Each structure stands twice: as structure tokens, then as C-alpha cells.
Amino acid sequence: MISATWGIARAAIICGLAASLLSAARSAPTAQNYPNHPIRLIVPFAPGGLNDTVARLLQPHLEKSLKVSVIIDNRPAASGIVGTETVAKAQPDGYTLLMVASSHTVIPATNPKLPYDADKSFAPIAMVGQNPFLFIVNAKVPAATLGEFVALAKAKPGKINYATVGAASQSHLITELFSQRAGIKMQQIPYRGGAPAITATVAGETQFTIISPQASLPHIAAGTLRAIAAGSLARDPQFPNIPTVSEQGYPGFEAIQWVGLLTAAGTPKAVIDRLNREVNTAIRDPDLIAKLATQGMSPAGGTAEEFHNVIATEIANWTAVARAAHITAD
């Protein structure tokens, strides 16, 4: 009786397992059947910003190669947290993507109560583009190089005001990191975004800022601002005449802005590989390269693993900076 009962139970278990495996095989996305319906690309910021611009530049290339619609969905709220959470909690099937910026690695450093894990809740796909942050002074500041500016700041401790795009922002943490390395003290004046931060520096309300090329280049060209350093480790091809922070006495100092694609953690590797391949193909297109250049960006690319390493490393680094400087988003 026991033997017969066990035989029936074993048969039921085998049948159930076979059914589960068959169901999983039918539902699991693969490189062959993905995608077969439209993809939603969430931009966690308002239209017109860098994330949105890069998403719209990439969109037609993905639609052409994937042969499905890519629908851009702007979710601007809470410094990008709302849109980012949407992707973290989406089905891990590659049909909900996130156009993320380098601020993604700063937010967890200053806000430990996020509704997602900035590293573990996501599967990186590829970095799309990058550019260096530029170290900018008002044109009337008597400093043509980074060394001259540091000497000026040391001569006037706490007297130089610097603009940021907001307290606990990436520009805030970068400035604090550089101040620690250079041994200087300055006064932060936080603004609500890049445009007012630049306007304040042009007007002389602040004397210094670390900000993206997109916000600063028109004013540099007009002669109202001066770029004294770039945050890339090597001179950026978009700004070959701007010496890096690293070459001006601070070896290894890096401050870059990047934009890339993520999706929900648990998305099958075959789908990640397919999307990674399509992004890398798209950013080799001369037309897209030229359009990225108008935003001051160079194409990035690389593997999903390389992108993950960047994210994990930056989260750890910015967390250390935030703790040392007692910076929080509260």
C-alpha cells in the first residue's frame, strides 16, 4: 500500500514538475522571441533634460533594430525616484527599461530610505554616453588654472561661494570630494537645477561651480564663464583644450556624467545581451554620434558587466564622500 501510494505521489510530482518547466519555457523571454510587443522606456525626469534627449536620440535606432515600438514614458517626480521605482518593480522581461543618469549612484549615498536598491534592484544593459563635469569660474575670478583657483580658495577660506544644482546633488558631492583633496573650504549655495546655478555664477553671486557641459558651454563661448578643468581622467575629445583635474595635480580624480539603460533585476541574460548588442550598434552610428556631440557627450558602450561595475563602484565611492562630509538628502 505504501509502495503504491508513493508511486502515485511520485508520478504526480513528476507531472507537476514537467508542467512547471514547460510553462517556464513557454513564458521565459529568449533572444529568439524577444521582443514581440512594444517596449516602454521610462525617463524619470521631465522632457527636455539630458536623459530625455538621449532617450529620444536612441529611440529610433532601437525601434529599427528591434522591430517594435519603443514608447518613451516621462515620470518626473522626487528627483527621479518615482520613475526609477516603477522599473525596479516591473516584470523582469525586458519590456520596461529605464534611461538612467549618473545621479542614480548619488541618490542612495545621500538617501538610505529609497524604495529600491540602486544596485540590486536593476539589471544594467549598457552605458550610452558620457561627458566630464567641467570646473567653472566666473570670468572675473583671477584664476586661469585649477592650481590658481586652489591658491585663491586657500587664501580666502570659506569666502568663495560655489553653486550646486541642489543640496546632496552630484555636483555637491563632487565639489566636496575635490575640496577634501585640495584642502580648501568653500560655501555651498544650492539652486534648483543647472540653469539657475549657471545664472548665479555668470552674475557673480557664486564664483565657482562644477556642472555639465550642456549647461555651461554657451556661457564659456560668450566669455562670461571660464572652464579651468575637466573631470575626465584623460582629455575628452569634445573638450581637448581643457586640462583634466588629474593632470593638474590630483591624479586619479574623476568626475563624469553618464547616461545608460537599466531594466528590472532578474531579466533573462539573453534579453540583456540582445539589448546590449543593439545599444552598442546604435552608438557607433555616425549620425547618433554627431547628435550626442551636440549635447557635449561621447558614446560609451561596453558590456552589461562593465556598466554594473561602474554603478557599484560609484555607489560605494559617493556613499563614502557623503558620510565624510555629513551630506544627506533630508
Side-chain angles (χ1 to χ4, degrees):
M1 178 66 69
I2 294 176
S3 177
T5 301
W6 167 241
I8 294 171
R10 183 173 60 179
I13 291 171
I14 292 172
C15 288
L17 180 59
S20 297
L21 291 173
L22 179 59
S23 175
R26 287 174 175 170
S27 61
T30 68
Q32 286 72 40
N33 65 20
Y34 172 87
N36 56 26
H37 62 78
I39 293 171
R40 183 169 55 144
L41 174 51
I42 291 181
V43 176
F45 298 101
L50 182 63
N51 278 40
D52 182 70
T53 298
V54 174
R56 295 179 191 280
L57 290 177
L58 188 63
Q59 178 189 31
H61 293 268
L62 293 180
E63 289 185 328
K64 182 179 179 180
S65 61
L66 296 172
K67 297 180 173 56
V68 296
S69 296
V70 175
I71 301 165
I72 294 178
D73 183 358
N74 292 90
R75 300 285 186 95
S79 300
I81 293 173
V82 171
T84 302
E85 181 184 8
T86 300
V87 179
K89 296 181 178 178
Q91 287 294 319
D93 53 14
Y95 287 97
T96 306
L97 310 181
L98 178 69
M99 183 60 75
V100 69
S102 49
S103 57
H104 178 77
T105 64
V106 172
I107 291 173
T110 59
N111 187 344
K113 298 180 181 179
L114 292 175
Y116 54 81
D117 186 306
D119 182 12
K120 297 178 182 177
S121 296
F122 302 94
I125 295 169
M127 190 185 293
V128 179
Q130 63 182 12
N131 58 22
F133 278 94
L134 299 182
F135 287 47
I136 305 292
V137 295
N138 177 280
K140 294 181 180 179
V141 172
T145 67
L146 191 59
E148 290 177 356
F149 178 77
V150 169
L152 183 66
K154 286 183 176 180
K156 299 180 178 181
K159 300 297 184 181
I160 291 179
N161 294 331
Y162 71 92
T164 68
V165 302
S169 63
Q170 189 171 7
S171 63
H172 185 187
L173 266 66
I174 293 170
T175 309
E176 284 297 326
L177 177 61
F178 178 72
S179 296
Q180 292 170 19
R181 288 282 302 271
I184 60 176
K185 292 186 180 296
M186 298 185 289
Q187 179 63 46
Q188 181 204 193
I189 309 294
Y191 294 88
R192 295 177 63 86
I198 280 292
T199 299
T201 309
V202 170
E205 293 175 16
T206 57
Q207 293 76 50
F208 177 78
T209 187
I210 296 176
I211 204 160
S212 69
Q214 296 91 340
S216 55
L217 286 177
H219 303 282
I220 294 171
T224 55
L225 296 178
R226 181 185 307 118
I228 57 174
S232 48
L233 289 178
R235 292 205 184 193
D236 190 278
Q238 301 288 336
F239 317 106
N241 296 323
I242 303 178
T244 69
V245 177
S246 185
E247 71 182 273
Q248 293 188 78
Y250 304 91
F253 189 98
E254 184 176 29
I256 63 169
Q257 175 179 245
W258 49 258
V259 177
L261 280 181
L262 305 179
T263 191
T267 299
K269 186 176 184 300
V271 172
I272 298 295
D273 289 345
R274 173 75 189 280
L275 289 168
N276 175 271
R277 184 166 62 251
E278 301 304 348
V279 170
N280 277 284
T281 299
I283 61 176
R284 290 195 295 268
D285 180 84
D287 179 64
L288 183 55
I289 292 172
K291 289 176 179 177
L292 286 173
T294 66
Q295 302 299 313
M297 300 203 87
S298 300
T303 67
E305 291 76 15
E306 289 168 339
F307 190 24
H308 174 258
N309 289 339
V310 169
I311 291 171
T313 299
E314 287 194 1
I315 290 174
N317 289 346
W318 293 131
T319 298
V321 172
R323 287 176 179 172
H326 307 290
I327 298 172
T328 67
D330 297 332

